[in-house]
Amino acid sequence: MKTVKELPDETIESFRSALRGELVLPEHPDYAEIRKVYNGMIDKYPGMLVMCVDVADVMYSVNFARENDLLLAVRGGGHNGGGLGLCDKGMVIDLSNLKNIRVDPSDNTVRVGGGNLWGEVDHATHAFGLAIPAGIISTTGVGGLTLGGGVGHLSRKYGLTIDSLIEADMVLADGSFVTVSESQNADLFWAIRGGGGNFGVVTSFKFRAYPVKEVIGGPTLWPIEKTPEIMAWYDTFIDSAPEDLNGFIATMVIPGPPFPEHLHNKQFCGIVWCYTGDKAKSEEVFKPILDMQPLFEHVGGMPYPSIQTLFDGLMPPGLQWYWRADHFNDLNEEISAQHLKYGSQIPTPLSQMHLYPISGAAARVGNTETPWAYRDAKYAGVIVGVDPDPKNAAKITQWCQDYWEALHPFSAGGAYPNFLMNDEGQERVKMSYKHNYDRLKTIKKAYDPKNLFRVNQNINPN
């Protein structure tokens, strides 16, 4: 493996002349800013960043990295917790200029560029009264979220993001360009619906969109001491709730505005709701929730893009992040006891735990229909240590790891791939793909036998 510094100047200049996009080297005046990603804890120094403006730039870049034996990372929105859109001393293919959104109202499909963010997509689709199932923060990149699965507010109603993917354009490890779908390169199409960035650079996506314009949603909060009671109730309630209703449960601290001052810096068990159904039935749907007498609730009508941006202000780019995750089949007493314990010890106001329900439409897809192997789990859980101050990095990391280690014995064994950190090892990747790992490995070996695309939740072909 070579570093960019080892390459002759004329080799680099020849590559630069082949590009339409900008080639950013460490001496570039904006290098320090350009190399940043969403997670401020990630501090890597690429040898070059290629700011691609078209598919040809991507093809040239893949070929250059392969031919010169460079470590290669691909950056879409840069949200990945483990910082897997960056690498040290090698090349970063940056897709942030590959932005284009075309909504086709004749068949409710949407074409999206590999560098788009979900907030941009939501803005475009909302004008047509449509939405694509995505995450819960609008600054998330379309590429990273989609390739890992895509869990969010619409999962119970319309499934994971990958369940809405119809087609994708890709640049493979040999520099070739392909389109993948159920009818073209079907093995690759299967693999990218949850298999991450292992198989190539996706330059555009085509999604099926759904009629979502206005939703009713927002948070309900209970004192942290009520965690076992609320989790036991929620575990039963969400089973029989209409699929129009989604709610993810959390242990959290209220960091400040826009919440009332009397809630600030206190620990809570919270649920954030999103209801896409008939407004006339919303009072009936939310009655059992309000009957649980939350200490605070702020549930109301809003445009769908508003619920997608609800947490953007609290979670701007540049914070310190550390993640750990697992799937769970229930919320039994042992599990809720650990959530009470560690939810009462949250070290910084932005650190929290979320449990996303995998039910309804998301659960009706078979465990082998896509690489996403935990369709039969009830929840995808994630613990995040978050803080703006690098001095608190060790503290939030330790809390996150301790919380995860206490819960892991009660888990289903593997994590939602988008929540995997890069320090967890190959066995965790295998556990997270479970019975689908061998098929992913076979496809990886066919299309990327030398593991050019390795800066990811890696499927090792060897």
Side-chain angles (χ1 to χ4, degrees):
M1 187 69 63
K2 292 179 184 175
T3 67
V4 171
K5 280 188 175 182
E6 295 176 79
L7 301 181
D9 290 346
E10 56 268 27
T11 300
I12 294 175
E13 288 309 308
S14 176
F15 175 53
R16 189 197 300 270
S17 68
L19 300 169
R20 286 191 64 225
E22 187 174 15
L23 181 65
V24 176
L25 302 175
E27 57 267 27
H28 191 287
D30 298 324
Y31 172 83
E33 190 63 28
I34 291 171
R35 73 179 181 88
K36 289 180 180 177
V37 287
Y38 185 78
N39 184 355
M41 199 182 286
I42 305 302
D43 190 24
K44 294 182 180 178
Y45 292 82
M48 60 169 59
L49 298 99
V50 190
M51 313 305 288
C52 299
V53 299
D54 56 20
V55 172
D57 278 353
V58 176
M59 296 169 76
Y60 288 133
S61 300
V62 168
N63 286 332
F64 187 81
R66 185 190 66 254
E67 291 164 1
N68 290 283
D69 196 25
L70 295 176
L71 185 62
L72 175 62
V74 182
R75 182 169 70 180
H79 238 261
N80 178 268
L84 297 175
L86 282 187
C87 64
D88 281 318
K89 301 180 181 180
M91 174 193 283
V92 172
I93 291 178
D94 184 289
L95 303 177
S96 58
N97 292 316
L98 266 68
K99 290 188 177 184
N100 52 83
I101 302 168
R102 184 180 185 276
V103 181
D104 187 344
S106 70
D107 62 359
N108 289 356
T109 60
V110 187
R111 287 197 176 271
V112 180
N116 277 108
L117 306 182
W118 279 110
E120 297 162 348
V121 177
D122 292 337
H123 171 79
T125 55
H126 185 66
F128 295 88
L130 299 170
I132 301 165
I136 65 165
I137 295 180
S138 77
T139 55
T140 308
V142 170
L145 183 99
T146 301
L147 296 177
V151 177
H153 291 301
L154 301 180
S155 295
R156 297 191 72 241
K157 179 66 174 177
Y158 295 119
L160 308 182
T161 307
I162 51 174
D163 301 331
S164 295
L165 184 63
I166 300 169
E167 185 179 286
D169 291 337
M170 299 176 63
V171 176
L172 304 182
D174 63 1
S176 63
F177 174 84
V178 298
T179 297
V180 302
S181 66
E182 291 282 8
S183 59
Q184 303 176 78
N185 302 295
D187 55 345
L188 270 175
F189 182 60
W190 179 85
I192 67 167
R193 285 178 292 162
N198 277 281
F199 306 95
V201 184
V202 180
T203 56
S204 76
F205 300 85
K206 183 180 180 182
F207 295 102
R208 181 180 300 104
Y210 300 92
V212 179
K213 186 81 171 179
E214 304 289 318
V215 301
I216 298 171
T220 49
L221 302 175
W222 293 266
I224 195 68
E225 295 80 15
K226 289 203 165 193
T227 297
E229 176 188 348
I230 298 304
M231 285 193 169
W233 165 78
Y234 170 83
D235 197 32
T236 300
F237 171 76
I238 203 70
D239 274 344
S240 55
E243 291 180 9
D244 289 314
L245 181 68
N246 195 87
F248 70 85
I249 193 164
T251 56
M252 59 194 296
V253 169
I254 297 301
F259 291 90
E261 189 174 351
H262 71 276
L263 302 177
H264 294 180
N265 298 310
K266 294 179 180 176
Q267 291 96 353
F268 292 93
C269 176
I271 305 175
V272 180
W273 304 99
C274 179
Y275 174 66
T276 58
D278 184 351
K279 285 184 181 179
K281 297 180 180 178
S282 62
E283 189 173 331
E284 176 188 345
V285 169
F286 279 94
K287 184 180 184 303
I289 298 168
L290 299 180
D291 284 348
M292 293 303 293
Q293 300 180 328
L295 181 68
F296 173 83
E297 63 90 6
H298 191 72
V299 175
M302 66 186 85
Y304 174 71
S306 294
I307 201 162
Q308 287 291 86
T309 58
L310 211 56
F311 304 106
D312 286 11
L314 295 174
M315 301 294 189
L319 302 178
Q320 304 285 301
W321 284 79
Y322 189 84
W323 308 48
R324 278 295 166 94
D326 267 322
H327 285 99
F328 296 89
N329 294 325
D330 56 43
L331 296 179
N332 61 40
E333 290 182 7
E334 291 91 344
I335 289 173
S336 63
Q338 297 304 326
H339 285 302
L340 173 59
K341 178 181 177 180
Y342 288 94
S344 301
Q345 300 171 6
I346 294 174
T348 60
L350 294 174
S351 297
Q352 52 201 271
M353 180 284 307
H354 293 176
L355 287 160
Y356 301 95
I358 309 300
S359 54
R364 284 196 292 275
V365 177
N367 264 344
T368 59
E369 288 183 51
T370 68
W372 218 84
Y374 284 87
R375 300 285 186 161
D376 54 350
K378 197 169 178 182
Y379 305 104
V382 64
I383 305 156
V384 291
V386 190
D387 195 70
D389 191 346
K391 292 178 182 176
N392 288 327
K395 179 167 68 173
I396 61 176
T397 298
Q398 191 62 58
W399 169 81
C400 187
Q401 290 175 343
D402 290 347
Y403 199 154
W404 180 85
E405 286 172 5
L407 281 171
H408 183 62
F410 306 105
S411 76
Y416 169 30
N418 279 346
F419 292 156
L420 285 172
M421 292 294 278
N422 61 343
D423 62 352
E424 296 189 54
Q426 193 66 24
E427 286 306 310
R428 281 286 285 161
V429 176
K430 289 180 180 179
M431 281 299 301
S432 296
Y433 288 116
K434 222 167 31 171
H435 50 269
N436 290 324
Y437 185 83
D438 287 344
R439 183 178 176 188
L440 287 167
K441 184 175 178 178
T442 299
I443 298 170
K444 175 76 169 178
K445 193 165 187 175
Y447 290 96
D448 187 14
K450 295 186 177 179
N451 207 12
L452 178 67
F453 301 112
R454 65 166 66 91
V455 184
N456 45 42
Q457 293 89 0
N458 194 232
I459 310 293
N460 194 321
N462 303 310

